[in-house]
Amino acid sequence: MRLTVLPTADLGRDGLRALRALLDAAFPADADGSGGFDDASFDHALGGVHVLAGPLHDPVGHAAVVGRRLLHDGVALRTGYVEAVAVRPGSQGGGLGGLLMAEVDRIVRGGYRLGALGAAARAARLYRRHGWEPWSGPLAALTPDGVVDTPDERGAVHVLPVDAPLDPARALVCDWRDGELW
């Protein structure tokens, strides 16, 4: 399947609506209304570049790479943060996620010092197959109240080292944002 890479600005209103519909279908809410793909998560996926499979008005797969700064050992690392990796239900399991991640890897390796993402348990195997490693060190977030440890994210945050030296004895600290920090 052909992949298209484009910035958020080139999606247009119809493309944004189609992207949101794909993400809502790929991440449905639980029976009690919890979970699902919320507005903050959608906002996290915007502002960078999108890798789309299928037509812009009806995508079958998607992944976004957005710029973030992660602090590590006193250095603010230019990080390609991966968001909203999704394949339409009914098309899952056919290798499309791997195609999306291969293009994401190219983007991250070509423009960032580090790649990072927060992985749901069911998707972690896909990321590991592409060389992403679970971060084994401490995690924290730079919040309005200062640096706060985020130990509940241990095992879910994956990194793709490009040229940044990483020491798992030192914390990896994400910048502040609404919703899920990682």
Side-chain angles (χ1 to χ4, degrees), residues 117-140:
L117 57 82
R122 67 179 190 234
R125 199 172 106 216
L126 168 68
Y127 304 131
R128 285 194 303 272
R129 278 197 315 260
H130 284 269
W132 295 73
E133 306 163 359
W135 176 250
S136 60
L139 295 163

Side-chain angles (χ1 to χ4, degrees), residues 5 50 116 128 140 142 145 153:
V5 178
H50 302 267
R128 285 194 303 272
L142 183 59
D145 298 321
E153 300 301 325

Side-chain angles (χ1 to χ4, degrees), residues 48-142:
V49 295
H50 302 267
V51 180
L52 290 168
L56 180 62
H57 67 279
D58 190 23
V60 178
H62 172 268
V65 179
V66 297
R68 291 185 79 179
R69 291 286 176 170
L70 298 187
L71 301 173
H72 182 68
D73 202 18
V75 177
L77 298 171
R78 187 179 65 258
T79 302
Y81 202 83
V82 180
E83 296 282 1
V85 178
V87 174
R88 180 184 296 154
S91 296
Q92 296 173 354
L96 186 52
L99 290 174
L100 292 166
M101 285 307 297
E103 185 63 14
V104 162
D105 291 354
R106 183 191 70 77
I107 292 166
V108 169
R109 289 180 189 281
Y112 297 94
R113 299 197 64 206
L114 174 68
L117 57 82
R122 67 179 190 234
R125 199 172 106 216
L126 168 68
Y127 304 131
R128 285 194 303 272
R129 278 197 315 260
H130 284 269
W132 295 73
E133 306 163 359
W135 176 250
S136 60
L139 295 163
L142 183 59

